Structures are given as C-alpha cells and as structure tokens.
C-alpha cells in the first residue's frame, strides 16, 4: 500500500508538470499563427478599394445605432448633442481564411485603419470640426465579416418647435448614409427597426419616448443614382416640472394679483402702483423665456400666457385710473343719472355685496327721519304743531316776566320757502316780533341754504364713491374669471 501511494503521487506530479509546460507552448503557438494570419491577410490587401469580387454588385452594410446619452439640447441654435454607439457590419471578400489552417483562430482584432471602411457619415451634422467616429479596433471573423463598433459624440441639426413650451415634444432626426458611394455600390441597411435604448442614461430635462429607424432611398437632383440612408427619429418629451415651478406658477400667482387691485381701497393711493409693479414683474419673466427660445415665428405657449396676462393687467390699470377719477368726483359733480342709480346702486350693489358702513348686508340702510322745514315763527316744529320736549328730558322752565308775542298781522317766515312770502299767521306786536328783522332773517336763511347745499353735495359725492366701489367690485370678479379661464385654456391646450 505505501508503494502504491508513492507511485500515484509521482505520477500525479509528472502529469501536472506536463500540463504546466504544455499551456505556454500552446499560447505561443497560437500567437505565432495569429501573426502569420495577419501577415497573410494583408500581404496584397489595399484599404482604398471596395472589397468585392464583383464590382457590379453592391456591398451590404448593416447599421445599428445605440443612444447612450443626450448631452445637450440647444433650442435657440437648434442643435442636438448626443453620445452614440455606432455599429457597422459588412463582409470583406479579401479577409477570409480557413481557421483550421491557423490553429482554429476564429477572429482577430486589429486597428480599423488597416481595413477598408464605408464612408458612413451623419448627413445633418452641425459640428464645426466635422469630427467623425473614434479610431477603434475592428473585429474580423474567419468568413470575412467585419464588425466595427465606435463611439461618437454627434451634433446634429434639429428643427425645434416651441409652440407648446414648456409642454412641448421634439422629434430630432439622425440621418446616416454614404457620402460618395451610391446605392449600386453600397446598400445601407438597418439591423433593427428601432435604435438601441438599453444603455441610455436618463436626462433630467428630456424623456426619450422612442427611436424608430427607417431606410430611405433618395434620388438627388445632382445625380441619377439612388442614395440609400437610414434615419433614426429621436422622439423627445420635455419634463415640464422645472418650468412649471419656476416660470408658470409665479406667473399664475402674479396674474391673480391684478384683480386684487380693484379690491384695494381707492383712498390708499396704491392701486395704480400695484398694477405697474405686477406688469414689471411679468416683463422680467417674459424676458427670461425669450432668452432661451429661438427667434421663430411661433410664439411659445407660455409666452402667449404672459402676453395675455400683461394685456389684462394693462387693462385693469387703465380701468383703475378711470374708476379713481369717478371716486374723487368733488362737490361740483353732476347728479347721478336715474338709470345709474337704479342699476348700479340698487341692483349691482346688492349682487356684489357692496354696502356702506352701518348698512345691513341683508337690507338697505333705513333712511333717517327727515326733519321738517325750519320755521322761525314758532321755534322749529312741524307746521301747525309745537315740538314737545325730548323723551326723558325735563320740560323747560318758564321764564318769569312778560313773554314776547310773536304774532302779528303780517307774514310768517318759512326758511324752506324763503323769507319773502309765507302763509298767514296770527298778528303779533310789531315792536317785539323778530320777523321784521330782515337782516337776521336773511342770515339765517343763508346759513340754512348752505347746510342744505352741503348736504346735497355730500350726498352726490357719496353716490359717486359708491358707484366707483361697485364698479371696482364688478371688475374684480370679471378679471378673476378672465384669469381663471385663460389659465384653464392654456393648461388644457398644453394637455
């Protein structure tokens, strides 16, 4: 048993040593065959000629584009910068070999400059330097199939439509085709119906909805030969949350400040200032939007909203000036027309809940009892009556001595009707009656007329102020409705 174990151990060691020595010999042999293969393939090879045995046949080139990242979308200059992986596959008839003759080598990787490459370029390239793909290696299989994978950062022209900004979507086309070979020499095919998006890095501003591919054959005016191309359409949708919170919502909130200018009291002196301030704020936001948008004929949706809001604020400021002019009508204003008193003060004031201080919200304020015309003859009560003492007050004490007799067979002066003519009154002693002091009567009548005119002027001024207040409340609700409807239409149109 010990001898057998020893013999097995020696045999196992010799076998491992043979394996260790055999692996480097194999690798070295395969490297020699690869070097010999490369030397044999390119002995009489030219990378300047199209690698086909029959020059009348077209060489099939298969194209596959994978989108890795959207670097930038310049709406103002209408340029899309993207990072792509481009794969081109074709068959080179002069680079095929028998893999059994070269120790089973199935494929080799060599610099792409060694072999012929199709001149596939981006037709709508917008790069100033026209930089092509990166110089990477190609993979050559034993049957002559060449696969060339190269990354590229492309700048392509993209027609940007900002009509629905910031709820817009864009379609940018990437058109690939041969620059010098026509369709009879190179037949360009797309490997799949869509571009690759499996390794796409999400963009913070744009969402990629798809990347369909389409093969086109176009005959240009310069040449009669067909030119095939493969067009990848990059369907993008803008992520609008950033613009909603930074441009749209501030505009909506500012626009709702415009109707509140009508609610501001006219005596505050800040109604016009509020409208001008809101107008300046919207102008600043409008400039921010205009800086990022291309100078196109189509006005962005948010730009239309800004213009409409600025128009509303301008109209509200103009109406505020007009209403303030009505509010500050002086005592010399004309009396309020009858139709205006009935329509505005009675109906519209109740509809818009405009009441004066002390006036009930449910019913109009009761009119105070109008005092009867002042009468000088009997100390002021109603005609034919004597005003009694006030409730709760003690009656006036009688003054001893002879009371003057105000009666006289003449006139009794009514301040409302004038001091010249009156109605007949009992006769009084001419020496004691004050009715015959004409200067006193004229002064009292003048004072009474002044009070009466002042009260009428105050009434007219109060009516015009109430008219202005009712118009303020009316236009406030009208502008609130207009701002709400306009915002709803803008959002509905974007959706």
């Amino acid at each position: 048993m010990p001898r057998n174990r020893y013999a097995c151990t020696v045999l196992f060691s010799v076998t491992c040593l043979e394996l260790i020595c055999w692996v480097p010999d194999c690798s070295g042999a395969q490297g020699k065959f690869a070097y010999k293969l490369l030397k044999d393939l390119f002995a009489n090879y030219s990378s300047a000629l199209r690698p086909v045995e029959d020059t009348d046949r077209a060489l099939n080139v298969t194209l596959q584009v994978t989108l890795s990242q959207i670097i930038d979308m310049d709406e103002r200059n209408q340029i899309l910068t993207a990072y792509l992986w481009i794969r081109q596959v074709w068959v080179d008839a002069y680079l095929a070999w028998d893999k059994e003759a070269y120790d089973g080598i199935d494929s080799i990787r060599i610099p792409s400059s060694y072999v012929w490459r199709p001149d596939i370029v981006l037709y709508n390239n917008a790069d100033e330097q026209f930089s092509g793909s990166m110089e990477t290696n190609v993979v050559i299989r034993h049957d002559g199939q060449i696969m060339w994978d190269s990354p590229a950062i492309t700048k392509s022209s993209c027609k940007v439509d900002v009509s629905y900004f910031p709820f817009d979507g864009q379609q940018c086309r990437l058109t690939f085709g041969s620059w010098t070979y026509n369709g009879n020499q190179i037949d360009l095919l797309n490997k799949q119906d869509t571009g690759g998006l499996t390794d796409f890095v999400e963009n913070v501003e744009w969402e990629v909805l798809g990347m369909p591919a389409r093969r086109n054959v176009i005959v240009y005016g310069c040449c009669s030969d067909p030119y095939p191309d493969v067009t990848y359409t990059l369907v993008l949708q803008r992520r609008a949350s950033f613009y909603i919170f930074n441009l749209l919502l501030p505009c909506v909130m500012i626009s709702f400040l415009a109707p509140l200018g009508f609610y501001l009291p006219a005596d505050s002196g800040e109604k016009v200032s509020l409208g001008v301030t809101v107008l300046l704020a919207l102008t600043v936001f409008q400039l921010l939007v205009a800086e990022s948008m291309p100078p196109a004929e189509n006005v962005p949706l948010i730009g239309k909203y800004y213009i409409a809001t600025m128009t509303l604020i301008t109209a509200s400021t103009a109406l505020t000036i007009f209403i303030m002019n009505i509010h500050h009508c002086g005592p010399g204003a004309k009396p309020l027309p009858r139709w205006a008193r009935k329509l505005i003060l009675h109906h519209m004031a109740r509809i818009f809940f405009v009441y004066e201080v002390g006036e009930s919200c449910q019913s109009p304020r009761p009119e105070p009892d109008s005092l009867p015309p002042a009468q000088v003859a009997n100390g002021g009560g109603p005609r034919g009556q004597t005003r009694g003492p006030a409730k709760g007050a003690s009656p006036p004490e009688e003054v001893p001595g002879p009371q003057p007799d105000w009666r006289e067979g003449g006139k009794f002066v009514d301040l409302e009707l004038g001091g010249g003519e009156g109605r007949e009154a009992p006769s009084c002693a001419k020496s004691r009656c004050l009715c015959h002091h004409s200067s006193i009567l004229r002064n009292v009548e003048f004072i009474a007329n002044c009070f009466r005119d002042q009260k009428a002027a105050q009434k007219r001024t109060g009516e015009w102020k109430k008219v202005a207040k009712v118009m303020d409340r009316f236009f406030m609700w009208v502008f609130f409705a207009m701002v709400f409807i306009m915002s709803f239409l803008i959002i509905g149109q974007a959706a």
Side-chain angles (χ1 to χ4, degrees):
M1 286 297 293
R3 289 183 178 180
N4 292 336
R5 288 182 180 179
Y6 178 76
C8 292
T9 304
V10 171
L11 180 62
F12 178 76
S13 301
V14 171
T15 304
C16 291
L17 182 61
E18 290 178 353
L19 288 175
I20 293 174
C21 296
W22 176 78
V23 171
D25 293 340
C26 180
S27 300
Q30 196 173 21
K32 293 178 181 179
F33 279 110
Y35 180 78
K36 183 177 181 300
L37 173 62
L38 181 63
K39 184 177 179 181
D40 293 342
L41 288 177
F42 292 94
N44 297 315
Y45 183 82
S46 176
S47 61
L49 298 178
R50 189 166 56 96
V52 291
E53 295 179 351
D54 187 2
T55 57
D56 294 333
R57 295 183 58 184
L59 178 63
N60 293 331
V61 177
T62 305
L63 181 69
Q64 174 64 26
V65 175
T66 301
L67 178 63
S68 177
Q69 184 181 4
I70 296 177
I71 299 177
D72 184 35
M73 180 65 174
D74 189 355
E75 293 96 342
R76 189 169 186 84
N77 296 318
Q78 303 191 47
I79 294 177
L80 171 67
T81 305
Y83 179 42
L84 306 176
W85 296 346
I86 302 174
R87 170 174 290 183
Q88 304 176 48
V89 179
W90 68 93
V91 175
D92 195 322
Y94 302 111
L95 295 180
W97 70 89
D98 184 8
K99 62 180 181 179
E100 299 298 333
Y102 293 93
D103 199 21
I105 297 178
D106 182 69
S107 62
I108 60 174
R109 289 165 175 81
I110 62 174
S112 59
S113 59
Y114 285 14
V115 301
W116 175 90
R117 294 173 297 180
D119 57 345
I120 305 298
V121 296
L122 181 63
Y123 281 174
N124 56 336
N125 192 359
D127 193 358
E128 298 177 355
Q129 300 178 358
F130 287 95
S131 58
S133 302
M134 185 182 297
E135 294 292 336
T136 57
N137 292 339
V138 295
V139 180
I140 306 177
R141 293 179 56 85
H142 69 279
D143 55 358
Q145 184 187 68
I146 299 179
M147 184 174 62
W148 182 26
D149 291 335
S150 61
I153 296 178
T154 62
K155 290 185 177 181
S156 59
S157 59
C158 177
K159 186 178 180 181
V160 179
D161 185 12
V162 292
S163 300
Y164 295 97
F165 176 83
F167 306 99
D168 59 326
Q170 307 297 332
Q171 293 186 358
C172 296
R173 291 176 173 83
L174 302 171
T175 303
F176 295 91
S178 176
W179 191 254
T180 57
Y181 295 105
N182 55 41
N184 298 324
Q185 297 169 333
I186 288 183
D187 190 10
L188 186 62
L189 305 172
N190 54 307
K191 185 178 181 180
Q192 297 178 356
D193 294 334
T194 60
L197 297 174
T198 55
D199 298 320
F200 176 70
V201 180
E202 292 292 334
N203 189 269
V204 295
E205 184 178 0
W206 296 97
E207 179 184 1
V208 179
L209 303 181
M211 193 179 177
R214 181 180 179 182
R215 180 179 181 271
N216 305 304
V217 178
I218 301 175
V219 178
Y220 295 97
C222 64
C223 313
S224 60
D225 298 324
Y227 283 85
D229 64 67
V230 176
T231 301
Y232 291 89
T233 303
L234 190 59
V235 183
L236 304 175
Q237 180 66 40
R238 190 189 301 271
R239 303 180 191 270
S241 58
F242 173 80
Y243 298 97
I244 289 176
F245 286 101
N246 291 277
L247 291 180
L248 191 58
L249 282 183
C251 177
V252 173
M253 291 187 290
I254 290 174
S255 63
F256 274 99
L257 286 178
L260 290 178
F262 292 105
Y263 195 76
L264 197 65
D267 294 330
S268 64
E270 298 294 335
K271 295 171 71 70
V272 179
S273 301
L274 177 62
V276 174
T277 304
V278 172
L279 189 62
L280 291 176
L282 284 178
T283 304
V284 172
F285 280 102
Q286 175 68 18
L287 292 176
L288 291 177
V289 175
E291 286 180 357
S292 59
M293 294 295 100
E297 184 178 358
N298 296 331
V299 180
L301 190 64
I302 191 172
K304 295 178 181 178
Y305 184 74
Y306 282 161
I307 294 298
T309 306
M310 292 170 67
T311 303
L312 287 180
I313 294 174
T314 304
S316 66
T317 306
L319 287 174
T320 299
I321 296 174
F322 173 72
I323 293 173
M324 288 185 65
N325 191 17
I326 296 177
H327 176 81
H328 291 287
C329 286
K334 295 181 180 180
L336 190 66
R338 185 176 180 181
W339 64 268
R341 181 180 292 105
K342 184 177 181 181
L343 176 64
I344 299 177
L345 298 185
H346 291 171
H347 298 290
M348 293 181 65
R350 294 180 181 180
I351 293 174
F352 296 105
F353 303 101
V354 178
Y355 299 101
E356 295 179 357
V357 178
E359 190 175 358
S360 174
C361 296
Q362 302 294 332
S363 59
R365 184 181 59 182
E367 295 290 336
D369 296 335
S370 57
L371 293 176
Q375 298 175 355
V376 178
N378 53 8
R383 290 192 181 105
Q385 298 180 5
T386 303
R387 178 175 297 180
K391 185 177 181 181
S394 58
E397 298 180 358
E398 296 185 1
V399 180
Q403 298 294 330
D405 191 1
W406 303 100
R407 294 184 300 276
E408 185 189 4
K411 307 292 183 183
F412 136 13
V413 180
D414 192 342
L415 293 179
E416 188 177 39
L417 299 177
E421 296 293 336
R423 55 196 181 99
E424 294 293 336
S427 60
C428 59
K430 191 171 184 179
S431 59
R432 297 180 181 180
C433 182
L434 297 178
C435 300
H436 299 284
H437 292 267
S438 58
S439 61
I440 297 178
L441 292 178
R442 284 194 299 271
N443 293 334
V444 172
E445 182 181 3
F446 177 77
I447 294 173
N449 290 334
C450 288
F451 275 108
R452 186 164 50 250
D453 294 342
Q454 184 179 3
K455 185 177 180 180
Q458 290 178 352
K459 184 178 180 181
R460 287 196 301 270
T461 304
E463 288 179 345
W464 283 112
K465 287 185 176 181
K466 189 173 182 180
V467 166
K469 191 174 182 180
V470 172
M471 292 179 66
D472 266 336
R473 197 64 58 86
F474 169 73
F475 284 117
M476 182 188 72
W477 289 113
V478 168
F479 275 80
F480 263 128
M482 293 177 67
V483 171
F484 179 78
I485 293 174
M486 183 177 62
S487 304
F488 181 77
L489 289 178
I490 293 294
I491 297 175
Q493 188 178 2

